[in-house]
Amino acid sequence: MQSESSSSSFPLAQERTLPQVPFYSIEYPGYVQASSVPLAIRNVGGQPKIDRVFKRTTQRTDALLELSLRPDNPFAHPIPGDVVSANNLLLKVVKKKRKSTQQPADGALGEYMAEVVGIVSKTARFRSMVDYQYFPDVDDPIVKLRNAMDMMDADLLCSYAITHEPSCVSSPPPTHTVNMDVDPNLDPQLLDISQIPDSHTASLSSPKDLRLFPPPLFSRQTIPQGYNFKANTASMISTTVDEETGEERKRMINRMRWKGYGPASIMFSDIHVPDKPPQAVEDGRSQVSEVILKKLGALFIQRPIWTRMSLFNQFSTAEARDILNSKLLLPLCCYVFQDGPWRDTLVRFSYDPRKDPVSRFYQRLYFRNANHPISRPSVTSRRHDRSTMNEQLRTQEKDMERKSVPVVDLALALFDERRRNSHIFDGRSLTKETAAFQLCDVTEPMLKSMIEDPDSLRETCNERDGWYTTHAFEQIKTVLRHKFFSLLEGHPATDEECHALLVASEGSVKASMAHRSSKLRAGKHNMAKGALRPEDAAAMRLRATLDRSMKSLQSQR
């Protein structure tokens, strides 16, 4: 009763409507006064950059805000910023000063009035560590050229010429006795020069300027590691003794360092195939999951040759991740070819596809997609993608809690089914933008009939075309290429188009092969794509040289 009476004695707060004016904030890591606001805006890229970053429709690659404390120096590394969602209130605080000079008893110096102006929905903050900085000599010609490119100084760009710089030759070591109390590896600027002899100071002088220009990024580490000023718990002291001098040396090594395990690999010209994994891989058998290892063995008995994608599609997402992270599971079950028709495939131990004509169905075809983006994203883009992905995962978890479970399960089932069929080409649907298929995974009727045609085989396996004749293999590649890129453009190709394409290219097969052979670099790795053998390429170059010599002799006569 007392609590109810006490709570009822206080008046309820007045309800107020929050203004729906959106605001964005930037947590600037520095002192900002009213006069320095333009400078702060300039350091983060200017007002157009800020407007573009905070737009709702901005792409992830453009939603990057960088703070440059030296915007006029192109070699200065900026501080990366992250734009994150927020749900804060922007307050406007007004202070009314008292006219009386006497200080009140409660210690207040004025009256304060707070008013909610709007809602802050996005905030740009700079929480990453600043990268290492290195500034080259401003009088260096390359630095002047770089500044001229920023200023669009046409006169300096036209007058620039590459000058021959003398090589930096190190001076001979001094002949005097070195003071053993001074470490020769220390920078002379860190020492008290007055306590060091002049002769030794000369020997400690820094080398000549190497004209090294800084890379775009020195360190990819953005968050400091909390090691608590302690040594690595996985490190240990290793002692080695020199057999000649008997000197004992100690150094720190990491006991838990990562060891690379790769599958056994052979060339197409090698006679024998591996029948067991390498010894280093065999020693780590006890570290892998027996359940996944048995499943891999059963799959290789069912089908002796797989691509990585087709093999991973037989497992769940968690199991495929375990196989990829293990580094030991695949080398325990298979070996790989470095060249030939089965290049980049996983082959079961003791199985030689060069001796079995049935292995023609496991040959791999690959076509480059020139429109596919193959450029690697920058470190800052990947860092921003990780933060955006984490935010999307949190949003998806909240949405899944609101939605019904059967709808989510159905979406996951459809996604998993599409993932498991991503290595199959049926001529109607497209699951990826790069064409890399095994012939046994091509289910399109026209291509399947061409692949299973017994009249298109040769008696011995060829390093370039496998078990197929050159003419038959070129036709299979022509049809598959046309059907795949037609799907990529949005319209499936008909069989009539493919037949007309084969008839039109029938007379130019040799010309196209010669053109492809001239474009591809001769070597073992490109023979499966149509390149010449190294000895054939050498013979062709020799014949071309002889023909040129003969023409020059005839012209002289």
Side-chain angles (χ1 to χ4, degrees), residues 504-525:
S505 61
E506 187 71 27
S508 59
V509 172
K510 294 183 179 180
S512 62
M513 290 178 58
H515 178 65
R516 188 181 301 111
S517 300
S518 61
K519 290 176 63 179
L520 292 172
R521 183 177 180 180
K524 295 287 185 180
H525 290 278

Side-chain angles (χ1 to χ4, degrees), residues 169-429:
V169 181
S170 59
S171 58
T175 56
H176 58 79
T177 304
V178 180
N179 185 7
M180 299 304 295
D181 296 335
V182 179
D183 190 352
N185 296 322
L186 290 178
D187 191 340
Q189 297 181 1
L190 302 177
L191 304 175
D192 189 0
I193 305 299
S194 61
Q195 300 178 2
I196 305 177
D198 296 338
S199 59
H200 188 62
T201 305
S203 64
L204 293 177
S205 59
S206 59
K208 187 180 178 181
D209 186 14
L210 299 179
R211 300 184 65 195
L212 298 178
F213 297 94
L217 199 67
F218 278 113
S219 174
R220 296 183 297 176
Q221 191 74 18
T222 59
I223 302 176
Q225 182 180 2
Y227 63 97
N228 295 327
F229 297 96
K230 296 181 180 179
N232 188 3
T233 56
S235 60
M236 60 177 294
I237 299 177
S238 175
T239 304
T240 57
V241 179
D242 194 345
E243 298 180 355
E244 296 181 357
T245 61
E247 182 182 358
E248 184 179 288
R249 296 182 179 179
K250 296 182 179 181
R251 66 187 185 98
M252 303 293 292
I253 63 172
N254 188 2
R255 294 177 298 175
M256 301 180 64
R257 64 185 183 275
W258 181 83
K259 296 180 181 180
Y261 299 100
S265 60
I266 63 171
M267 303 292 290
F268 186 87
S269 57
D270 294 341
I271 299 175
H272 302 288
V273 297
D275 56 353
K276 60 181 180 180
Q279 187 60 37
V281 177
E282 187 66 34
D283 295 339
R285 183 181 289 270
S286 59
Q287 305 175 12
V288 301
S289 172
E290 291 292 337
V291 177
I292 300 180
L293 186 60
K294 289 181 180 179
K295 191 172 182 180
L296 280 171
L299 289 172
F300 275 103
I301 293 176
Q302 174 186 349
R303 172 173 160 178
I305 303 178
W306 296 82
T307 59
R308 287 181 178 267
M309 177 176 290
S310 61
L311 185 63
F312 288 168
N313 287 348
Q314 311 305 314
F315 295 87
S316 64
T317 305
E319 291 175 336
R321 189 186 305 113
D322 292 341
I323 297 174
L324 192 63
N325 295 335
S326 172
K327 309 298 182 184
L328 279 171
L329 285 167
L330 289 180
L332 284 170
C333 302
C334 59
Y335 70 96
V336 296
F337 274 99
Q338 296 183 14
D339 58 353
W342 297 278
R343 179 185 175 185
D344 297 334
T345 58
L346 308 173
V347 189
R348 185 183 65 203
F349 284 122
S350 303
Y351 180 75
D352 193 349
R354 300 166 298 182
K355 299 179 180 180
D356 186 9
V358 181
S359 63
R360 68 184 184 274
F361 299 119
Y362 308 122
Q363 292 182 206
R364 178 177 176 267
L365 285 179
Y366 170 76
F367 304 115
R368 285 190 57 192
N369 182 7
N371 297 324
H372 183 65
I374 59 175
S375 59
R376 186 180 182 184
S378 63
V379 177
T380 54
S381 300
R382 281 180 286 167
R383 182 188 304 151
H384 183 263
D385 290 344
R386 283 195 297 268
S387 61
T388 307
M389 186 180 300
N390 293 334
E391 183 179 353
Q392 291 177 353
L393 288 176
R394 288 191 294 267
T395 306
Q396 290 176 2
E397 290 177 357
K398 295 180 181 178
D399 294 341
M400 289 176 65
E401 293 177 358
R402 301 172 185 171
K403 295 180 181 178
S404 58
V405 177
V407 176
V408 177
D409 291 343
L410 180 61
L412 293 176
L414 292 175
F415 174 77
D416 187 66
E417 181 182 0
R418 184 176 182 182
R419 180 189 67 84
R420 288 180 179 272
N421 296 329
S422 60
H423 64 283
I424 297 176
F425 181 76
D426 57 1
R428 298 185 302 272
S429 59

Side-chain angles (χ1 to χ4, degrees), residues 71-103:
D72 297 331
N73 192 339
F75 299 101
H77 292 177
I79 306 173
D82 298 323
V83 179
V84 297
S85 299
N87 195 14
N88 301 329
L89 301 178
L90 181 63
L91 297 179
K92 178 183 178 182
V93 181
V94 179
K95 177 184 176 182
K96 294 184 178 180
K97 296 183 179 180
R98 295 178 182 271
K99 295 182 179 180
S100 177
T101 58
Q102 297 180 358
Q103 186 176 358

